[in-house]
Amino acid sequence: MCPHNTHWTCQFVSLYICKIPSHLPITQKMEKIHHNYVNVRGLKLHFAEIGTGPVVVFLHGFPEIWYSWRHQMIAVADAGFRAIAPDFRGYGLSELPTYPESTTFKDLVDDLLDMIDSLDIHKVFLVGKDFGARVVFHFALLHPNRVLAVATLGVPFLLTGPGTFPQDLLPKGFYMLRWREPGRAEADFGRFDTKTVVKNIYILFSGSELPAAKDDEEIMDLVDPSTPLPAWFTEEDLANYASLYENSGFQTALQVPYRAWLEEYGVEDIKIKVPSLLVMGEKDYALKFGGLEHFISSGMVKEYVPDLEITFLPEGSHFVQEQFPEQVNQLIVNFLNKLV
């Protein structure tokens, strides 16, 4: 059996190869995606995989999981690439670390290095969304000889460390500040079932305003229970996300990214030296995060990422890869094709 989930059937080859049960609400194309496990630094980590050719590794954000890359994985596989989308440690079907509250961004970088080494992959294209973008850049800074190019969605390159967090420019009740407080998000989330928590976060993060609560509110209180899901996000999608977070819980997710956010890259040369792509939705709330829109549109970001293409999608939210999959697929495939 597959670790963590008795509803998944497995066949042992060189890794665990899992076939998605037919009763799950997954399209026929997604049934071609294999679900594998590999031992990485003492943990059994899950990754989804499809296609053959140059390797593209997709790194998820929060409240996402490998599943958030379903459209892009199929697209790059059809274009002649091998798509791999792991669940970070403590997320989804990957094993929970013994001390999730001690997890760091560097752990995720080291996990990725060990994973591609275990799979005998020397160089990769990296694609990251939300805090997965930060892992992409961290990895590219520490292991530049292993990276062919990078693409990020929803988050550009950002400096790290205590002095770089724009706390004075953010509302007092901003969700990142609230969730950095040990125990606060746990108590907030604990009032609801997992499916409702994921639904509320997707609704909040699909908006164009920074999610911030008043003094007498918690972040979950910002969503009216009658608010529908975004039009591009189905009940089946929600059920898939909910089942994966029911498996993993939110312990690691609250630690990384939120409580580990001030962690530094640990390198002196802060420059990404490979071709890079940034895709942002024009209605992404993240653009209002501490002057982020000016940082991108003024070209300041290119001080750290010189070879950078930037594309804004006019109606795009924070979830552009799920909201406009065909457009994002084409942007990523075109970017990759120019480099092979």
Side-chain angles (χ1 to χ4, degrees), residues 125 148-150 275-276 307 334-340:
F125 294 98
L148 294 164
V150 302
S276 305
D307 189 3
N334 287 348
F335 176 68
L336 296 173
N337 281 337
K338 289 188 297 185
L339 300 168
V340 295

Side-chain angles (χ1 to χ4, degrees), residues 59-61 88 104-106 108-109 112 126-142 151-162 164-165 176 180 255-266 272 289:
L59 302 179
H60 65 79
F88 288 125
T104 65
F105 278 98
K106 181 65 161 45
L108 307 189
V109 171
L112 177 57
L126 292 178
V127 182
K129 159 69 173 39
D130 187 70
F131 86 86
R134 175 160 164 174
V135 181
V136 163
F137 292 127
H138 201 157
F139 188 94
L141 289 171
L142 290 176
T152 65
L153 285 64
V155 173
F157 179 87
L158 295 171
L159 295 175
T160 62
T164 64
F165 190 74
M176 287 185 70
R180 281 182 53 79
Q255 173 62 21
V256 177
Y258 302 106
R259 294 166 190 169
W261 190 259
L262 301 184
E263 178 186 344
E264 297 182 346
Y265 288 127
I272 303 299
F289 176 80

Side-chain angles (χ1 to χ4, degrees), residues 82-144:
R82 178 184 177 188
I84 294 174
D87 287 338
F88 288 125
R89 59 167 56 205
Y91 277 82
L93 296 173
S94 286
E95 189 175 352
L96 190 72
T98 304
Y99 302 104
E101 69 278 5
S102 299
T103 304
T104 65
F105 278 98
K106 181 65 161 45
D107 281 325
L108 307 189
V109 171
D110 291 345
D111 288 349
L112 177 57
L113 180 64
D114 200 354
M115 175 178 285
I116 63 175
D117 282 345
S118 297
L119 299 176
D120 198 26
I121 298 168
H122 181 58
K123 291 202 172 191
V124 295
F125 294 98
L126 292 178
V127 182
K129 159 69 173 39
D130 187 70
F131 86 86
R134 175 160 164 174
V135 181
V136 163
F137 292 127
H138 201 157
F139 188 94
L141 289 171
L142 290 176
H143 308 289

Side-chain angles (χ1 to χ4, degrees), residues 169-310:
L169 301 177
L170 297 170
K172 180 181 177 182
F174 183 51
Y175 79 95
M176 287 185 70
L177 299 177
R178 289 287 183 90
W179 291 353
R180 281 182 53 79
E181 299 177 29
R184 186 156 192 171
E186 289 88 339
D188 187 12
F189 293 1
R191 298 179 294 153
F192 306 92
D193 59 33
T194 301
K195 186 175 181 179
T196 300
V197 172
V198 174
K199 176 183 177 180
N200 286 352
I201 296 172
Y202 250 89
I203 290 170
L204 281 175
F205 287 8
S206 296
S208 58
E209 299 299 323
L210 291 175
K214 298 176 182 176
D215 289 346
D216 60 349
E217 290 179 319
E218 296 300 330
I219 299 301
M220 290 293 102
D221 297 328
L222 298 176
V223 181
D224 187 299
S226 65
T227 304
L229 288 168
W232 42 265
F233 192 75
T234 69
E235 288 289 343
E236 292 181 350
D237 294 332
L238 177 60
N240 280 320
Y241 279 104
S243 68
L244 291 167
Y245 275 100
E246 283 169 359
N247 181 74
S248 66
F250 296 102
Q251 289 177 279
T252 309
L254 289 169
Q255 173 62 21
V256 177
Y258 302 106
R259 294 166 190 169
W261 190 259
L262 301 184
E263 178 186 344
E264 297 182 346
Y265 288 127
V267 297
E268 293 184 5
D269 186 9
I270 307 292
K271 188 161 289 189
I272 303 299
K273 298 177 181 178
V274 295
S276 305
L277 171 69
L278 171 63
V279 180
M280 297 290 301
E282 288 188 0
K283 295 186 177 180
D284 188 337
Y285 76 88
L287 290 172
K288 297 181 179 177
F289 176 80
L292 195 64
E293 185 170 13
H294 177 71
F295 178 68
I296 298 169
S297 59
S298 68
M300 290 174 62
V301 64
K302 293 189 177 183
E303 294 180 20
Y304 308 99
V305 191
D307 189 3
L308 176 64
E309 300 177 30
I310 302 173

